[in-house]
Amino acid sequence: MPSSVESRSSATQTLYSVNGSLEASRNAVHAVGEVSRHGFTDDDEEYLALLEQVWLMYYNDKRHESSGHPRIDKEPLPDWRMRERMKTFSAALVTCLNIGTDPPDIVKTQPCAKLECWVDPYSLPVTKALEQIGKNLQQQYETLSMRTRYKIYLDPSVEETKKFCAAQRRNAKDERVLFHYNGHGVPKPTASGEIWVFNKTYTQYIPVSLYDLQAWLGSPCLYVFDCSAAGNIITNFHRFAEQRDAENLRQKQEDPQFSPGPSQKECILLAACGSNEILPMNPDLPADLFTCCLTSPIEIAVRWFVLQNPLPSNLTIDMVSRIPGRLQDRRTALGELNWIFTAITDTIAWNVLPGPLFKRLFRQDLMVAALFRNFLLAERIMRHHQCHPQSHPVLPSTYNHPMWDSWDLAIDTCLAQLPAMLEQGDEHDYQPCSFFTEQLQAFEVWLGTGSASKKAPDQLPIVLQVLLSQAHRLRALILLSRFLDLGPWAVNLALSIGIFPYVLKLLQSPASELKPVLIFIWARILAVDGSCQQDLLKANEFNYFVQTLLNADELLATAQKLEHKAMASFILAMFTKDFKAGQVALLSAHGLMAHVLQNVQFDPTSTSDPQGDPQLRQWSLLLISCSWKDNGEAKWSGVREHAPEILVKALGDFIPEVRAAALVAMTTFLGLEVSDQVIELESYLALSSLSLSTDGSPLVRKELTIFFSHFILRYEGKFIVAAYELLQEEAAAAGGRAAPKKGLSSDSIYAAVWKTLLMFTADPYPEVEQNALAVVDRLCMTLCRGKLGPAVRKTFLQDFPPEAETLPQSYRSAPGASSAEDEASIARTGTNGYPSRTESHVELRKVSSLRSTLQRSVSIATSIKNLALGFPDPPTPTPEYEARPNQPPPVEASTTATVQQAPLARGMPAGFEKFEEMPSMPLKSTVLQWATEFFTEPQMKPDEADEPGSIDYNERLWRRTRNEDMIAQTQPLKSVAENNPWTNQSLGMLESPVGQPTTRLVLHQFEPHLVAADDRDGVTVWDWQQARVLHSFSNANPQDSRITELKFLNEDDRALLLTGSSEGVVRLYRNYETSNFELVTSWRALSDMLPSNRSSGLVCEWQQGRGHLLVGGDVRTIRVFDAQREISMHEIPARSGSCVTSLTSDQVAGQVFAAGFGDGAIRIYDKRLKPAEAMVKLWKPGPTSLGAWITNVHMQRGGARELVSSSVTGEVRLWDLRLDAHVREIQAHAGGGLRSLAVHEHAPVFATGATNHILKVWNFQARPLSTSRHYAGTGAASIFTHHARNPQAQSSSISALAFHPHDMVLASSGGGDTRIHLDKPQAM
């Protein structure tokens, strides 16, 4: 059985599973072949062992690709249930033989076929022969259906025919009636479709009109006509049926009380031959060949096989008529042939018939299904004798289907043992046929090669038949589970073919080896169709999964017990979902709640199994939620088992899906009848949930807003008071009055939740923001319409006059007055307090100003909304910058005119839909539906990208080859780079399309992508080789903030773009180079930024090998975010009063990192140590650079692994982690003003840019390779040239520098310039 994926880990294995990433592979070459700093070469064995690890990709999990939204393009679920199941209640078996007298219109051959129902009518007296034929006919039909009531009518008269037909319909009521007609002793049906019976004295043939027959038998009815020219009956039957329907319609119009009954078009007809055909007269075959095919198919099929066998054989007709065994015993020869015949005919019908027709003919009625299976045989045999059986509904031709060859082989295999069986009798050990084994093998081959086409496999009906055999059952179930794993389309096919009764019955089996596969199959069925709850409840079949969950160690014969427990939890969750009877039944399961709560818990410090099974924890929580919904008794059962405390612990789970599921369970818990204990419990849950307000996963934060919406709606009155009191506090501050006394909500959970929700209205993730705004808007409307409405208006008029000017008239009413418009507004409101759909957008505008004020009533919301977060706007730039050690480099404005541009597009999450109107409250969660989709996705086969030959796999293989070629080609260029000037061979210049100066640059390792960020929120992606813009978009950071970081993630494959902005937010984009770009995730990495005139904003360092993001800035700590867990794993004290200005780390082991600070210090940290002890080294600035702002600190990924730092006073230093002082110091820019530093990842070169317009390129031996100057303006003077050219031209500081990680390319931009310059060494 497959293993379920651990909550779809955020990391996905790539092709680089042997040598690690290409970047790490190159680093290994340098680590072994060159002398590296910091003693890294002393750890060669550990270092190279690390490279053998699987290289991981991050933020490409399902929760990032779907943003937690269920699929909307789900395949429609077919109606596989037999909601109109019918049965053939009774049967009239009519034989018109008139033995001894041949019909006048038939000339028989000599010799001629004589057997009727395997009886020779001339071997017995006429009366006894007729009775024996009738008796045999009934026995043959009884092998098809024992429940049908049979009545034999031998040579009836027309009066008798009318009488028994009316009696059949009267007794059957609305059920189906079978009318079997053998007309071998009467004339052929007439051209108008009349059939013949006798008069009372048997002296005349009397015709019976089909119109009369329809009236006597009614509908529904099943007709079998075994006579020559039977096709005339079918042709005329439709004509009379249409005539009767027209009469009924006319009578219905005349008399509305008239009930016409079922249409005759619903009748089913089987006829032996066409309109101009005569029945076969071969003496080796029975005269009623069509009836024998329909009622005794095995006997006639074996006889016909022997007659048609061209090879010499000792078998005789008499021998094959004595095949031992019973049809119902599959262990005997006759029973096995019947079993194989059923499987083959079902398979043929499944493959050639449309789904609805197959369901009607082969699944609705046992009698109809048996007759139509046998009708396929009749077509095959009778076509050989120039007869073409006909039916209504019409079936496609099946006589030449390839499965008939398998049937012939099965007969041949069985008959090969027949002489021995007849000779030895019961002592013979019958050897079963290999048919089912071979078909299972064929199905397995199809699963391995043909499943990608989504075409129904031919063997599917046979697999279901094999489930009846205990010998093949386990293998068949395993193959069936592999088929269902292909997706919902496969589950739909299996349900349509009739799998459900089989797997439902198997839940009664005690066999332990079947439990894992049955659990897997049921999980797939319920994931696609959750309507099976009543079926599981009828015979307490749900206990199968309850016992499996409670006693997994004893009952599950598999190594993946936790995964199958997760599936069992999912099955029970689907069983109780919106199903009260299921909740009650599950509540009676002793010990289940305690066991499920135990499954929620795990030990994160465990070394043997640190992750546990996230899928089990997630579905245990969702099972709790489904069983609690609107079920107070179940909730109290959970309280007795300490469920609230366990849910709170689950909020700290490492896996985002588990944390979200815990919030779903907490949301469902709300709603018990209010009491002091209930209020205390719900407040405890709400207070605990506040810890997730800074969670890095949008899925979790979005679910938190949904929990808040339920909590606020439940305690709406208390939240109105909290909102009003916060407004009064803000009003007092705005009016210069003393803060009011503590109110009723002060220091309460309601005020805390309200403040958190206000913070969420400025969340960087659009869905979280939208949810929070909807909840805030709703409460604001309730506040304004309530008793406090006049006081709110008065507060606005007195303390917020600028805002009051913009308020609608209803808010500018006199204080304390209740306007008619207010009353009309309230009247328009529904009973639930929400505005009508037509008024919702008006109400939203009304509360916008109030909401803005309420947001400012919370300090953190204020700083977020106004971009304050404690620091002021960037300092005003000056034409010339005088370097001061304690100041950061300036942010310069563009020296060129800003071109008016259309607004840039903002990246949105996948599936995001903006609210067109105010949603109903409380908000609805989609986590359960989204998580259910896991069980509809293939788990047994590799992902498409890991499947050799797939498009994704080939693309990855191509990218790997390209990446390796690029690394190989750039290796020899290191010596060129460190020994040649970089200024004489410019690659060109890129003009910003948004007209804003560039402040940040980054180049992709392998793609020709150059990403530039301007001094606002614009991001531009260039193809630097083609000098063309690929895409421009808005980062959506607030006004007056700026982008301070650009990074690439997953560069070995499909890269993501990371942006960090000065308000402390990190955003990740997918498809950043196209207009179809999407926001993968975003979160507020820094929420407690300190006010300072020396702002560095947010700085970060991405560690691809570890999946860690180091984040610092205007805070006192450095946070370590884990990409898989999407939470801050460590918060390391910076141990400095200055802001963090730069971060860098060892990219191989990923444990040691360095931080530069605004006071000139550099600190080294080790993540393996406790946070309080993580700082392992401090390099203080020298006397000449005391307090000098560290502009950059960077550790090379390859090469000599140099650690380089630069300060605003112009010094560049090289460091060794083992030493207490720098290794080398370079005075890059005398007089200070160093603006930027870039270090090549592999070549021993670095570049520095200064505020005095100078750009320099150096090697690590302190030798300057080039000195150049940036010129602003247009024309030739703006080209990146040697500083001696055009010295009078206006110049700008070098604000952005970036080396290509592999190629010898340098990108640079001036702070006041809108151009990006590209350069490479002279010798290239």
Side-chain angles (χ1 to χ4, degrees), residues 271-543:
C273 59
S275 300
N276 299 315
E277 296 174 346
I278 299 176
L279 295 179
M281 298 183 186
N282 188 333
D284 295 326
L285 296 174
D288 60 344
L289 178 60
F290 185 64
T291 297
C292 288
C293 289
L294 294 182
T295 59
S296 54
I298 305 303
E299 290 86 343
I300 192 64
V302 173
R303 176 184 290 250
W304 189 73
F305 175 81
V306 173
L307 293 175
Q308 299 300 314
N309 189 2
L311 301 177
S313 173
N314 296 326
L315 296 175
T316 64
I317 297 297
D318 178 65
M319 293 175 65
V320 299
S321 64
R322 294 185 292 123
I323 297 177
R326 296 185 305 111
L327 290 174
Q328 293 76 20
D329 188 353
R330 292 187 295 272
R331 294 170 297 180
T332 64
L334 190 60
E336 186 182 48
L337 282 177
N338 186 57
W339 184 25
I340 294 173
F341 177 79
T342 301
I344 286 178
T345 50
D346 254 14
T347 300
I348 294 174
W350 165 257
N351 289 327
V352 301
L353 297 184
L357 184 59
F358 175 84
K359 176 182 173 182
R360 178 189 175 194
L361 299 182
F362 287 81
R363 293 294 181 263
Q364 193 180 62
D365 186 332
L366 293 177
M367 175 67 80
V368 174
L371 287 176
F372 268 92
R373 275 196 297 265
N374 301 343
F375 179 80
L376 302 182
L377 175 68
E379 183 194 17
R380 186 189 188 210
I381 294 178
M382 297 190 71
R383 264 181 174 270
H384 191 77
H385 299 280
Q386 290 74 49
C387 277
H388 298 79
Q390 298 183 7
S391 68
H392 175 75
V394 179
L395 302 186
S397 180
T398 61
Y399 70 96
N400 58 351
H401 195 278
M403 287 301 296
W404 287 121
D405 295 335
S406 299
W407 171 239
D408 292 339
L409 178 61
I411 294 179
D412 193 33
T413 303
C414 176
L415 294 184
Q417 304 180 58
L418 183 59
M421 287 188 290
L422 295 177
E423 181 179 347
Q424 300 176 17
D426 295 339
E427 297 180 0
H428 178 75
D429 185 15
Y430 175 70
Q431 298 298 318
C433 179
S434 61
F435 170 79
F436 288 107
T437 302
E438 293 167 354
Q439 293 301 317
L440 288 179
Q441 184 65 36
F443 187 52
E444 188 171 5
V445 171
W446 181 91
L447 288 171
T449 59
S451 56
S453 63
K454 291 190 177 182
K455 180 182 179 296
D458 295 345
Q459 298 80 15
L460 186 58
I462 298 176
V463 173
L464 299 186
Q465 286 290 328
V466 175
L467 294 179
L468 300 173
S469 168
Q470 190 170 357
H472 301 290
R473 184 173 296 157
L474 179 58
R475 185 186 179 194
L477 284 174
I478 292 174
L479 293 177
L480 181 60
S481 67
R482 288 178 56 187
F483 176 70
L484 298 182
D485 186 62
L486 296 177
W489 68 272
V491 176
N492 290 338
L493 281 177
L495 290 174
S496 299
I497 195 64
I499 180 184
F500 190 76
Y502 292 80
V503 294
L504 184 64
K505 186 71 174 178
L506 285 174
L507 292 181
Q508 301 174 6
S509 171
S512 60
E513 66 273 10
L514 299 183
K515 289 186 181 296
V517 66
L518 281 175
I519 290 173
F520 185 91
I521 289 173
W522 270 95
R524 265 54 193 174
I525 293 176
L526 288 172
V528 174
D529 187 355
S531 65
C532 309
Q533 298 161 315
Q534 194 65 45
D535 302 278
L536 290 173
L537 182 65
K538 281 181 181 177
N540 290 330
E541 305 293 3
F542 71 93
N543 271 322

Side-chain angles (χ1 to χ4, degrees), residues 1075-1091:
S1075 59
N1076 297 323
F1077 74 116
E1078 295 175 345
L1079 180 67
V1080 177
T1081 184
S1082 60
W1083 75 97
R1084 195 168 302 281
L1086 301 179
S1087 56
D1088 301 317
M1089 302 181 77
L1090 302 174

Side-chain angles (χ1 to χ4, degrees), residues 885 1136 1138 1157-1163 1178-1190 1205 1207 1209 1211 1213 1215 1220 1222 1225:
S1136 173
S1138 299
F1157 290 84
D1159 60 1
I1162 299 175
R1163 290 173 170 82
L1178 167 62
W1179 291 318
K1180 294 182 178 180
T1184 59
S1185 57
L1186 187 63
W1189 186 281
I1190 299 296
S1205 70
S1207 63
T1209 51
E1211 296 89 1
R1213 296 183 176 92
W1215 305 87
D1220 294 330
H1222 54 262
E1225 179 176 323

Side-chain angles (χ1 to χ4, degrees), residues 1083-1302:
W1083 75 97
R1084 195 168 302 281
L1086 301 179
S1087 56
D1088 301 317
M1089 302 181 77
L1090 302 174
S1092 171
N1093 290 327
R1094 305 167 59 191
S1095 170
S1096 62
L1098 178 146
V1099 295
C1100 67
E1101 168 74 355
W1102 168 248
Q1103 297 179 325
Q1104 183 73 37
R1106 290 281 177 179
H1108 288 171
L1109 181 68
L1110 312 176
V1111 181
D1114 297 322
V1115 290
R1116 295 287 184 262
T1117 59
I1118 299 173
R1119 292 182 176 176
V1120 181
F1121 285 90
D1122 187 284
Q1124 297 185 36
R1125 301 171 181 179
E1126 297 195 55
I1127 55 177
S1128 175
M1129 297 300 298
H1130 306 290
E1131 194 155 337
I1132 300 174
R1135 297 178 65 177
S1136 173
S1138 299
C1139 60
V1140 179
T1141 63
S1142 181
L1143 287 170
T1144 188
S1145 68
D1146 167 28
Q1147 286 288 339
V1148 180
Q1151 302 293 0
V1152 177
F1153 67 92
F1157 290 84
D1159 60 1
I1162 299 175
R1163 290 173 170 82
I1164 308 299
Y1165 303 88
D1166 192 330
K1167 292 189 299 184
R1168 293 168 292 191
L1169 303 178
K1170 294 180 180 179
E1173 304 170 356
M1175 195 187 80
V1176 295
K1177 189 174 287 294
L1178 167 62
W1179 291 318
K1180 294 182 178 180
T1184 59
S1185 57
L1186 187 63
W1189 186 281
I1190 299 296
T1191 56
N1192 196 7
V1193 56
H1194 186 87
M1195 180 183 291
Q1196 286 184 300
R1197 299 182 184 181
R1201 311 288 298 285
E1202 293 285 6
L1203 177 61
V1204 186
S1205 70
S1206 63
S1207 63
V1208 74
T1209 51
E1211 296 89 1
V1212 176
R1213 296 183 176 92
L1214 277 63
W1215 305 87
D1216 191 311
L1217 294 177
R1218 299 166 294 180
L1219 304 180
D1220 294 330
H1222 54 262
V1223 176
R1224 179 176 292 115
E1225 179 176 323
I1226 304 170
Q1227 187 63 41
H1229 296 273
L1234 191 148
R1235 179 69 174 85
S1236 53
L1237 167 75
V1239 183
H1240 199 283
E1241 295 292 0
H1242 304 287
V1245 295
F1246 64 91
T1248 59
T1251 55
N1252 60 357
H1253 335 303
I1254 300 299
L1255 175 81
K1256 295 182 180 181
V1257 181
W1258 306 74
N1259 63 19
F1260 286 160
Q1261 303 305 317
R1263 181 165 66 89
L1265 302 177
S1266 300
T1267 302
S1268 306
R1269 184 185 297 271
H1270 264 198
Y1271 292 95
T1274 58
S1278 66
I1279 301 177
F1280 186 6
T1281 59
H1282 193 271
H1283 73 282
R1285 300 180 184 177
N1286 200 5
Q1288 302 301 321
Q1290 186 180 7
S1291 58
S1292 62
S1293 66
I1294 310 301
S1295 60
L1297 285 175
F1299 278 104
H1300 191 284
H1302 296 295

Side-chain angles (χ1 to χ4, degrees), residues 561-631:
K561 289 185 174 62
L562 293 180
E563 297 161 8
H564 285 83
K565 287 177 68 175
M567 294 182 206
S569 299
F570 163 73
I571 292 169
L572 294 177
M574 293 296 100
F575 172 63
T576 57
K577 178 186 175 185
D578 301 324
F579 185 46
K580 186 69 174 180
Q583 293 176 335
V584 174
L586 215 60
L587 187 61
S588 63
H590 179 70
L592 180 62
M593 178 62 72
H595 186 84
V596 172
L597 288 169
Q598 182 181 354
N599 290 337
V600 172
Q601 305 177 67
F602 82 111
D603 182 9
T605 62
S606 172
T607 56
S608 60
D609 189 15
Q611 285 289 87
D613 190 282
Q615 196 82 342
L616 174 58
R617 300 198 300 275
Q618 177 189 9
W619 278 107
S620 296
L621 289 164
L622 293 177
L623 169 58
I624 293 171
S625 173
C626 291
S627 63
W628 277 357
K629 187 176 182 181
D630 301 326
N631 190 336

